[in-house]
Amino acid sequence: MGIAEKLPEGNIITTSLDTVLNWARTSSLWYMLFGLACCAIELMATGAARFDFDRFGMMFRASPRQSDLMIVAGTVTKKMAPRIRRLWEQMAEPRYVIAMGGCAISGGPFYDSYSVVKGVDEVIPVDVYLPGCPPRPEALLHACIKLREKIRKETIATKKHNVEATKQ
Ligand code: SF4
C-alpha cells in the first residue's frame, strides 16, 4: 500500500528538503541578547510589544549556542571585536548576521577614531547591512524580511559560512 492511498482523498504533497529547512529557519530566527551601543535601544524597542518581533518567530536567546542570528547593534570597538568574533564562533550553523546602524557598517560617526573598527565585516561575515543612526524598528523589521528572503534561496548543497573566508 502506498502512502497516497493512506491519505484522505489519496492526495500527497511533495517538496524539497531545502524548502522545508529554509521554511523552518525563516520562521524561527532566534537572535542573541546582545547590544553594543545606542542602536541596541532600537533593537530592544523592536523586541517589545509595539513592534512585536515575536510575530516573525523571532525571540532573543541569552546564549550564542541557542542563537542563529546576531544583530550587531552599536559601535564595534577594537577591544570588543575579539569578543564579537568569539560569540559568533559559538553560534550554531547556519548563523546569520545583521549589521545594524552606521557604526556596525563602517564605524559611523567614529570612523576615524583610533579605537573603533571600521565595520563589523572586518571581524565576521555580514548578511544584511542596515544603515541609519540609529535605524528605526520598522527598518530592522525590513532587514529581517530581507534576511528571510536570502535564507529562502539557500541550499544545503553549499556551506554557508567558511570561517577561513572572513577577513580576520
Ligand atoms: S549608528 Fe548612531 S545610534 Fe547606532 S550606535 Fe552608532 S552612533 Fe549610536
Side-chain angles (χ1 to χ4, degrees):
M1 183 181 287
I3 295 173
E5 294 170 69
K6 291 181 181 174
L7 294 171
E9 312 281 331
N11 293 331
I12 187 165
I13 298 171
T14 60
T15 185
S16 68
L17 186 56
D18 278 335
T19 304
V20 173
L21 286 176
N22 292 345
W23 170 77
R25 284 170 184 157
T26 56
S27 304
S28 59
L29 279 170
W30 290 1
Y31 58 100
M32 193 158 35
L33 183 59
F34 169 70
L36 296 174
C38 16
C39 273
I41 301 297
E42 299 298 318
L43 169 60
M44 287 184 262
T46 315
R50 183 179 174 89
F51 295 98
D52 194 13
F53 240 173
D54 292 20
R55 66 195 147 120
F56 291 95
M58 298 183 66
M59 291 178 286
F60 67 79
R61 306 304 295 170
S63 165
R65 309 277 185 203
Q66 299 170 356
S67 309
D68 52 8
L69 172 62
M70 176 188 276
I71 301 172
V72 182
T75 318
V76 181
T77 60
K78 289 181 179 169
K79 196 169 185 179
M80 192 65 182
R83 282 79 179 175
I84 295 172
R85 174 80 185 188
R86 174 67 63 87
L87 287 168
W88 177 80
E89 286 172 346
Q90 289 177 338
M91 292 165 65
E93 292 203 48
R95 54 198 168 203
Y96 306 94
V97 176
I98 294 176
M100 179 183 181
C103 284
I105 293 173
S106 64
F110 315 107
Y111 73 96
D112 58 351
S113 168
Y114 72 95
S115 61
V116 172
V117 177
K118 293 175 177 47
V120 73
D121 58 3
E122 293 190 5
V123 183
I124 53 175
V126 172
D127 295 283
V128 176
Y129 294 85
L130 171 57
C133 183
R136 292 268 308 153
E138 296 93 330
L140 181 55
L141 290 170
H142 182 69
C144 293
I145 290 168
K146 287 292 172 193
L147 178 60
R148 285 156 56 113
E149 288 172 5
K150 188 173 180 178
I151 293 171
R152 280 193 202 101
K153 294 177 188 153
E154 283 183 358
T155 170
I156 54 172
T158 55
K159 197 169 187 291
K160 184 181 174 291
H161 285 315
N162 183 343
V163 174
E164 285 72 38
T166 56
K167 291 180 187 174
Q168 189 173 13

